Amino acid sequence: MRQAFKFRIVPSRAVAERLAETLELCRELYNACLTERRAAWLMQGKTLSYYEQSAELPGLKAVCPEYKTIYADTLVDVLRRVQFAYDGFFRRVKAGQKPGFPRYKGRDRYDSFTFKIDQRSPFNWLKADKLTLPKIGSMRVRLSRFVGGRVKTVTIKREGERWFVIFSCELPDAPPTAPAAITSPVGIDLGVEAFLTTSDGRRVENPRHLLRAEDRLKKAQRRLSRKKKGSGRRKRAKARVAALNRKVADQRRDFLHKLSRKLVNRHDLICFENLNIAGMMKNRKLAKHIADAAWSAFIRMLEYKAEWAGTKAMNVAAQYTSQDCSGCGERVPKALSVRWHKCPHCRTELHRDHNAALNILARGIELAQAARHAVSALGGSTLVGPMKSEPLHIESARDADRA
């Protein structure tokens, strides 16, 4: 199993310049490889392979000595990226999708380079809080958590004016264990009014990070549009817009990580709807709000964190979860604007999202029981025990700063 650990690095001015030079040379090599492949196809009808281009690296270093200052595996990784781009292009053509031919990378579209770790090498990459990169130098790393497993690759990434290191580590797969009784299942209904509502009635409010920053973004984008192209002022205005967008993305990611971690820690079965998010994004009135909520990213976090923790996160059919009554199962049609569920058959009354979360939980438990039916017959134990829950409180980035 692979896991990535991302940390902020603080290089000195000289090391930062060396990082920028390496990134620029890698970008130029990427574009040169694309040019060579296109020319070979147009002039000779020949498709160059990764191995043919990698055999040309020694000759490249002889003609362009600046490439001798870059770690050899870093240059090889650039060629791998070109090959991956072509592989993806041909795969999409074969699948009948929009192919998207590999494009040249501008300075704003090529932002990382990678080192492959040789376990037999005595070179010490990380010692305490110091990261040492071959042919570049040493820099401080803000280690916020333990790096586990065997490091396979080290990727340096630039985000605006900031630099990050990403360790891709190989971790041992968790040994298979017998399914245990489910004691704390929960169903969650994702929404726009509230980010999610759980089956025990808890609501997590939607932070609406993009909407809160929208006024500042609009002002910065208007200033950018008035600047002359190619000027220094336009460059600074563009950096300002990018910084505001990165802040929104950081806040959103922080919120999703904290919420998904709390859910995985407190529940051993998490059920959610199998939503057609791409189709829902076609609604012009809700598309921006759905994108701001980032449901897809949240579901991915739930799934992989549940897998690491040995718990279960599963999706259920989304049809009629809001229409069916969680009390008696009768269907009670209602428009999207109706936020309160009133059942005329069993007199059940509760919030629409709470009713949906209860239906999601019931469907999830039914699927879990069906999957573990054989284990239940052998062990004779109850698969779903008494439910327990705790209130959810998600600490925002602003609260963390105050603390």
Side-chain angles (χ1 to χ4, degrees):
M1 180 175 65
R2 282 289 189 99
Q3 183 176 357
F5 298 86
K6 182 178 179 181
F7 305 103
R8 177 85 178 270
I9 57 178
V10 188
S12 63
R13 179 176 296 180
V15 173
E17 291 176 356
R18 187 74 192 99
L19 291 173
E21 291 172 3
T22 302
L23 186 60
E24 179 61 17
L25 288 173
C26 289
R27 184 185 71 86
E28 291 177 356
L29 176 60
Y30 183 96
N31 290 338
C33 290
L34 281 184
T35 299
E36 185 182 28
R37 289 199 177 207
R38 291 184 176 187
W41 175 255
L42 292 174
M43 299 174 65
Q44 304 176 12
K46 178 183 177 181
T47 301
L48 292 180
S49 67
Y50 156 76
Y51 299 101
E52 290 174 306
Q53 289 192 312
S54 61
E56 299 174 358
L57 283 179
L60 172 67
K61 292 180 180 180
V63 176
C64 304
E66 61 268 22
Y67 281 98
K68 293 181 180 180
T69 63
I70 300 180
Y71 193 58
D73 279 337
T74 300
L75 298 177
V76 172
D77 179 74
V78 175
L79 304 185
R80 290 196 190 101
R81 295 188 186 191
V82 177
Q83 185 63 46
F84 290 157
Y86 272 86
D87 290 343
F89 168 73
F90 289 118
R91 183 184 67 252
R92 291 187 293 272
V93 170
K94 186 176 180 180
Q97 302 172 352
K98 187 176 180 180
F101 193 81
R103 297 190 299 175
Y104 291 107
K105 300 291 185 180
R107 286 183 174 84
D108 296 334
R109 292 186 176 273
Y110 197 95
D111 55 9
S112 66
F113 56 92
T114 300
F115 298 86
K116 186 177 179 181
I117 304 298
D118 186 355
Q119 304 297 333
R120 297 169 297 180
S121 173
F123 187 78
N124 193 353
W125 293 78
L126 184 63
K127 185 176 181 181
D129 64 343
K130 291 289 184 181
L131 173 68
T132 302
L133 300 177
K135 299 189 177 183
I136 291 182
S138 299
M139 62 211 74
R140 187 165 64 90
V141 184
R142 295 180 180 175
L143 294 173
S144 56
R145 55 176 173 158
F146 174 73
V147 180
R150 177 179 296 178
V151 180
K152 304 294 288 185
T153 62
V154 176
T155 299
I156 303 299
K157 184 177 182 181
R158 181 178 64 188
E159 295 183 4
E161 300 298 325
R162 302 180 299 177
W163 292 92
F164 293 87
V165 59
I166 303 171
F167 299 101
S168 179
C169 302
E170 184 178 2
L171 302 175
D173 294 332
T177 57
I182 299 172
T183 58
S184 57
V186 67
I188 59 174
D189 177 67
L190 299 174
V192 172
E193 179 186 20
F195 181 80
L196 68 80
T197 303
T198 65
S199 52
D200 55 4
R202 306 289 180 181
R203 285 166 60 89
V204 176
E205 296 303 319
N206 190 350
R208 303 179 189 274
H209 296 111
L210 179 60
L211 294 183
R212 286 192 298 164
E214 199 168 32
D215 290 341
R216 284 174 292 170
L217 273 169
K218 287 180 179 179
K219 186 180 296 185
Q221 288 166 342
R222 283 196 297 267
R223 289 175 177 172
L224 172 62
S225 66
R226 291 194 293 264
K227 300 298 186 289
K228 183 179 178 181
K229 290 187 177 181
S231 65
R233 289 185 176 182
R234 181 179 176 84
K235 183 178 179 181
R236 290 190 293 271
K238 185 177 180 180
R240 171 63 176 165
V241 172
L244 289 173
N245 280 293
R246 281 196 304 272
K247 182 176 181 179
V248 171
D250 290 343
Q251 290 174 329
R252 184 185 295 118
R253 193 181 305 112
D254 176 75
F255 170 78
L256 297 180
H257 272 299
K258 289 178 178 178
L259 177 55
S260 58
R261 172 50 57 192
K262 287 180 182 290
L263 287 170
V264 169
N265 287 347
R266 293 174 179 175
H267 302 283
D268 50 15
L269 175 63
I270 304 172
C271 310
F272 52 89
E273 293 174 295
N274 184 15
L275 298 172
N276 179 15
I277 299 177
M280 298 172 70
M281 287 288 290
K282 295 179 181 179
N283 186 329
R284 293 184 297 174
K285 295 182 179 180
L286 296 177
K288 180 168 66 173
H289 302 282
I290 294 173
D292 191 17
W295 294 339
S296 295
F298 177 68
I299 290 172
R300 285 196 302 270
M301 291 179 186
L302 271 182
E303 290 175 334
Y304 75 72
K305 289 179 182 179
E307 182 181 356
W308 292 345
T311 60
K312 182 68 174 176
M314 60 189 303
N315 62 63
V316 302
Q319 288 76 13
Y320 302 109
T321 53
S322 296
Q323 309 293 335
D324 293 347
C325 178
S326 59
C328 63
E330 292 291 334
R331 187 153 298 164
V332 185
K334 59 181 78 68
L336 184 61
S337 58
V338 178
R339 308 309 301 168
W340 193 256
H341 171 77
K342 292 183 179 181
C343 180
H345 306 282
C346 65
R347 307 299 180 185
T348 297
E349 292 192 18
L350 70 170
H351 194 278
R352 175 197 184 103
D353 295 341
H354 187 191
N355 177 70
L358 289 170
N359 287 327
I360 293 167
L361 175 61
R363 294 181 184 184
I365 290 177
E366 184 179 353
L367 291 176
Q369 291 282 20
R372 301 186 182 191
H373 179 71
V375 177
S376 177
L378 291 174
S381 60
T382 303
L383 291 180
V384 179
M387 296 173 59
K388 62 180 181 180
S389 63
E390 299 177 17
L392 290 175
H393 172 69
I394 307 304
E395 181 187 23
S396 66
R398 185 181 302 175
D399 295 336
D401 292 340
R402 290 175 179 173

